[in-house]
Amino acid sequence: MKTIYIKCILIIILLIQPILINAQSIRAIDSEKITSILESHFDKKNPGGAFAIIQKGKVTFKKTMGLANVEYQIPIADTTVFNIASNSKQMTSLLTLILQGEGKLSINDDIRDYLPELKELPYKVTIKQLMNHTHGLPNVDELAQIKGIKKMTYEEVITMLFNIRQFNFKPGNDYQYNNTGFVLLSKIITNVGEKTFQEQLKEKVFDPFGMDYSQAVDNYNQVIPHKAYSYTSIENNIINNSVKISTIGSSGVYASLNDLIVWAKNFTRKNSKYQKHFKRMQKETILNNNRVIEYGLGIQFENYKGIDIVFHGGGTEGYRSYILHAPKHDLSLIFLSNAGGLSGYEIIYDSLEILLKDNLINKKEPSYKGDLSSYEGIYELNASTYYNIWEEDNSLYFGTHGTSEKIMLPKTGKNVFDFVLPYSKLIFNEDSLDLRFLDFSFRAKKVDLPTIDNSNIDLTKYIGIYKNKDHNAIYELTIIDNKLIVKHTINGTFSLNIYSESMMNVINSYFGKIDFIFNSEGEVLGFNLSRQNLVGQFFEKKD
C-alpha cells in the first residue's frame, strides 16, 4: 500500500491562524464547521495555511493558522506571501491576453517567430498550445532530472529548453500537463514587451488589481518580504524544503491571501475590464482528433456534483495553493499553505459542500454486476509505471507490475472503481483507463508487455557510455552480477528489466524505458529514453 502512495506522489505534482476575521454571511454553524476542518489539519505550532471565502464580492470568512517561519515562530498573516506554484499560470495567461489586446502578439502565432533559438523544431507550436498544454514538448522538470540537476536558475532553465529538439507528441494531438510551455511563454513576454516578465506582470496585472504584496520571482535565492518558508514533515521532524528550480511563468508568483482575494473578485466581477480575457481563458481545448479537454488557458473547469466550477491547484516543494470559483453562485474559495500534503484539496471541497449543500447532486450508480474480464490486462501509465488489472471471484484487482501487490477495487459503477488513494478512482475505457487523482486525470493505455527474460541475450554488447547531446546528459551501461546496470554520477545506479534485445526499463523510477537502436550488423548505436512527460530522447553510444 505504501509504495502506491509514494509512486502517485512522485507522478504528480500536487495541491495544496486561527483568527476569524469576518463571518457575517455564513451561518455560525457553517463557520464552526469550516473552522474545525482547518483545525483538523493545522495548529499554531507548525507550518500552516490561510483560507478565505468570497461570496457576492464580499469576504465572508478568512482565517490564518500556523507558522510562516518555524525557526523564529512567526505566525502566518493575511499579508504573508506564499509561492502559489501552478496558480501562476492563470496570471501569465491573463498577461498574455492583455499583450494580445495591445497588438504585441497573437496566441495563434508560431512560437519560433518569437524564439529563434527554437527554429529547428520540426513542428509549429502556437502560443495557445503553450497555454493549454497541447504543445507536446518535454517537461522542464524531467529534463533537469535526467541531467541530474537539482538546482537551476531561470537563465539555466531557458538555456536547457532552447536545446529541445524532440517532441513527446505532435502539437495538438494530445494534452499533457507540464511546466515547459509557460516558462517559454514568460520568455516570449519578455521579448515582445521589452521588459522583464516580472516587470510586465507587476505593471499590467498586480498594480492595476491592487495586489500590493505579489511578485514573480525568478531567483530562488532572492530575499522576499513577508515570505512563508516552505516545509515538509518527515518522521515527526520539520524540514526546510525550499524551491530549487526557477520556472517563472509556470510557477514563481508569490502572493498573499489578501492579494488572491483581490484576484478572485476581479475574476468573478462581471463589469471588470478583464472579464473578456477571463472568459477566453475558460474556453475548452479541442484536440486534433476532436477530443474535448476541460482545460483552457492556464485554468481548469468541470462539473462537481452538479456545480459548475473553475479552478486550479498549485504545488512546489512544501507550498500548496488552490483557487476555486463557482460562478453561478458568485462564490470563490482560496487556500494557501507552506506545510505540503493534500490538505488543501480536502479543505476546499469540504467547504464547498458545506456552503452549497442544497445544490449538490450526489448521484450514486449501482454496483456493476457484469463481466469484469474485459478490463483485465497491463496498463502503461508512463514508460516506467505499469499496472496489472485482473478479475478474480467476480472482483477486480489491482497491482503495480513487477510487485506482489494485490488490492481489490471496490465497484461504484459499470466502469468506475474506487482506488486506494484518497480522492481517487479508476475509470475504464475501451482500451485504456483513467486514473483520477484529486483533480488530475492520467490516462494509462492497455499494452502487451512481454515477459522479462534475459537468458539468451548477450549483455556485453550494451556496455558503454551513452550521451544525449541536446541536454549533455550522460549514462553508463555496465554489467554487475550478471545484470545490466544503468549508472549516473548523480542519479545513482539502477538494474534494468530486460524484455527483449531492444526494449528494457526500470520500473517505478525516474529513469523509465529505453529502446535500443542497432545497425545492420546488430551493433548498438544508442537508445531512446522515455518516461513520464519525456518521450524518445536519443542517447548515442560513444566509442
Side-chain angles (χ1 to χ4, degrees):
M1 183 78 68
K2 184 179 179 182
T3 59
I4 298 177
Y5 274 82
I6 294 172
K7 175 187 63 182
C8 288
I9 288 172
L10 290 174
I11 292 172
I12 59 183
I13 288 170
L14 295 168
L15 315 168
I16 271 213
Q17 320 113 232
I19 301 174
L20 183 60
I21 305 296
N22 187 353
Q24 298 97 315
S25 299
I26 302 177
R27 293 177 300 169
I29 188 172
D30 291 339
S31 297
E32 292 172 3
K33 285 182 179 179
I34 294 171
T35 298
S36 69
I37 293 171
L38 289 167
E39 291 177 345
S40 69
H41 292 283
F42 303 120
D43 62 67
K44 64 181 180 179
K45 297 180 180 180
N46 291 293
F51 183 63
I53 298 170
I54 304 100
Q55 294 176 298
K56 298 182 179 179
K58 295 182 178 180
V59 178
T60 56
F61 184 91
K62 181 165 65 169
K63 289 181 73 71
T64 58
M65 178 179 289
L67 298 175
N69 183 289
V70 175
E71 291 88 337
Y72 292 97
Q73 297 288 291
I74 300 172
I76 293 171
D78 53 15
T79 53
T80 300
V81 297
F82 298 76
N83 187 320
I84 65 172
S86 287
N87 267 306
S88 307
K89 292 179 172 68
Q90 57 189 292
M91 297 174 185
T92 303
S93 293
L94 176 61
L95 176 57
T96 303
L97 293 175
I98 290 172
L99 291 172
Q100 178 175 251
E102 295 175 356
K104 293 182 178 178
L105 57 77
S106 167
I107 63 172
N108 295 313
D109 287 342
D110 189 332
I111 66 171
R112 293 173 296 189
D113 295 340
Y114 301 95
L115 302 173
E117 297 88 347
L118 293 174
K119 63 183 180 182
E120 295 182 25
L121 287 179
Y123 304 119
K124 172 185 176 180
V125 178
T126 66
I127 292 175
K128 180 169 69 175
Q129 288 169 334
L130 296 182
M131 300 165 76
N132 62 22
H133 305 290
T134 64
H135 49 78
L137 299 169
N139 190 29
V140 54
D141 301 279
E142 276 76 9
L143 289 173
Q145 197 168 48
I146 67 167
K147 289 162 64 70
I149 297 177
K150 302 185 185 302
K151 290 186 176 182
M152 296 187 78
T153 65
Y154 175 67
E155 291 76 18
E156 290 170 337
V157 168
I158 289 293
T159 298
M160 181 177 69
L161 296 184
F162 281 166
N163 288 323
I164 291 175
R165 297 294 179 266
Q166 295 170 273
F167 283 76
N168 291 348
F169 54 84
K170 188 174 180 180
N173 278 3
D174 205 350
Y175 164 87
Q176 189 178 71
Y177 184 93
N178 77 24
N179 293 323
T180 293
F182 279 89
V183 178
L184 290 174
L185 182 54
S186 72
K187 185 62 174 175
I188 292 173
I189 289 170
T190 296
N191 290 349
V192 302
E194 298 180 342
K195 290 183 179 179
T196 67
F197 170 79
Q198 301 95 298
E199 290 173 317
Q200 293 182 73
L201 194 61
K202 183 179 187 301
E203 291 177 5
K204 297 180 183 296
V205 177
F206 295 151
D207 285 351
F209 276 37
M211 298 170 67
D212 298 330
Y213 288 83
S214 296
Q215 61 175 315
V217 177
D218 71 341
N219 184 344
Y220 50 75
N221 290 319
Q222 180 176 327
V223 174
I224 303 168
H226 310 287
K227 182 178 78 171
Y229 285 76
S230 171
Y231 300 100
T232 301
S233 183
I234 301 176
E235 297 180 352
N236 298 319
N237 293 315
I238 298 174
I239 307 298
N240 278 300
N241 196 8
S242 59
V243 175
K244 301 173 183 68
I245 296 181
S246 181
T247 55
I248 60 166
S250 172
S251 187
V253 167
Y254 283 76
S256 68
L257 183 63
N258 284 348
D259 283 354
L260 292 182
I261 288 170
V262 173
W263 171 268
K265 287 180 178 180
N266 275 277
F267 190 93
T268 56
R269 207 174 76 209
K270 293 182 173 56
N271 62 348
S272 167
K273 69 175 183 178
Y274 303 100
Q275 198 53 224
K276 65 178 181 180
H277 298 320
F278 286 130
K279 285 184 178 179
R280 177 62 189 88
M281 289 163 59
Q282 297 172 61
K283 187 176 180 180
E284 62 192 10
T285 293
I286 301 176
L287 301 180
N288 293 337
N289 63 0
N290 292 321
R291 178 184 165 200
V292 176
I293 306 296
E294 291 182 319
Y295 193 101
L297 305 179
I299 203 157
Q300 295 175 258
F301 34 86
E302 67 178 13
N303 186 277
Y304 176 81
K305 297 184 179 181
I307 300 169
D308 290 328
I309 58 173
V310 182
F311 60 95
H312 211 287
T316 181
E317 305 302 347
Y319 291 114
R320 299 291 184 266
S321 68
Y322 212 103
I323 304 173
L324 181 145
H325 311 279
K328 292 182 181 178
H329 302 277
D330 207 354
L331 171 69
S332 298
L333 297 93
I334 299 166
F335 171 84
L336 293 166
S337 176
N338 64 338
L342 306 178
S343 56
Y345 190 87
E346 184 173 342
I347 290 168
I348 286 283
Y349 285 91
D350 283 358
S351 299
L352 181 69
E353 295 207 10
I354 290 171
L355 293 164
L356 298 179
K357 61 183 179 181
D358 296 332
N359 303 94
L360 296 174
I361 300 174
N362 289 300
K363 182 180 179 182
K364 186 163 181 68
E365 297 185 44
S367 295
Y368 183 51
K369 303 297 183 182
D371 180 20
L372 300 174
S373 62
S374 63
Y375 301 140
E376 291 185 319
I378 298 173
Y379 293 81
E380 182 184 59
L381 185 65
N382 58 60
S384 67
T385 304
Y386 297 86
Y387 297 150
N388 291 331
I389 303 291
W390 71 96
E391 186 270 337
E392 187 177 315
D393 298 328
N394 200 36
S395 293
L396 206 61
Y397 287 85
F398 163 93
T400 302
H401 187 72
T403 73
S404 59
E405 289 171 343
K406 181 181 179 181
I407 300 167
M408 191 179 76
L409 299 171
K411 296 173 282 190
T412 61
K414 182 176 179 179
N415 65 328
V416 181
F417 296 77
D418 283 340
F419 197 43
V420 294
L421 291 171
Y423 315 111
S424 63
K425 58 188 175 182
L426 296 180
I427 305 168
F428 287 88
N429 309 304
E430 184 176 347
D431 58 357
S432 64
L433 67 80
D434 290 326
L435 167 58
R436 174 78 179 199
F437 180 68
L438 302 175
D439 49 36
F440 284 90
S441 289
F442 303 92
R443 178 150 292 186
K445 295 181 180 180
K446 186 182 285 190
V447 296
D448 293 322
L449 191 63
T451 303
I452 297 175
D453 181 13
N454 63 353
S455 58
N456 298 316
I457 298 177
D458 176 15
L459 301 183
T460 60
K461 63 184 176 184
Y462 302 100
I463 295 174
I465 303 296
Y466 295 78
K467 180 177 180 178
N468 178 278
K469 66 178 182 179
D470 293 336
H471 302 291
N472 195 31
I474 300 173
Y475 286 83
E476 179 185 1
L477 266 61
T478 188
I479 298 173
I480 301 177
D481 296 331
N482 295 317
K483 293 182 178 179
L484 193 60
I485 303 296
V486 180
K487 297 176 68 175
H488 188 273
T489 54
I490 298 174
N491 290 330
T493 300
F494 302 90
S495 176
L496 281 166
N497 297 301
I498 301 174
Y499 296 92
S500 67
E501 283 193 319
S502 61
M503 187 273 210
M504 306 179 191
N505 77 356
V506 182
I507 292 179
N508 301 326
S509 81
Y510 85 92
F511 187 72
K513 180 182 72 169
I514 53 181
D515 295 291
F516 286 96
I517 299 170
F518 304 89
N519 64 18
S520 57
E521 283 78 37
E523 297 170 329
V524 177
L525 298 178
F527 63 73
N528 288 322
L529 172 65
S530 300
R531 53 157 295 177
Q532 181 187 2
N533 253 328
L534 194 74
V535 176
Q537 294 292 312
F538 179 66
F539 284 72
E540 181 183 8
K541 187 179 181 185
K542 313 301 288 186
D543 294 331

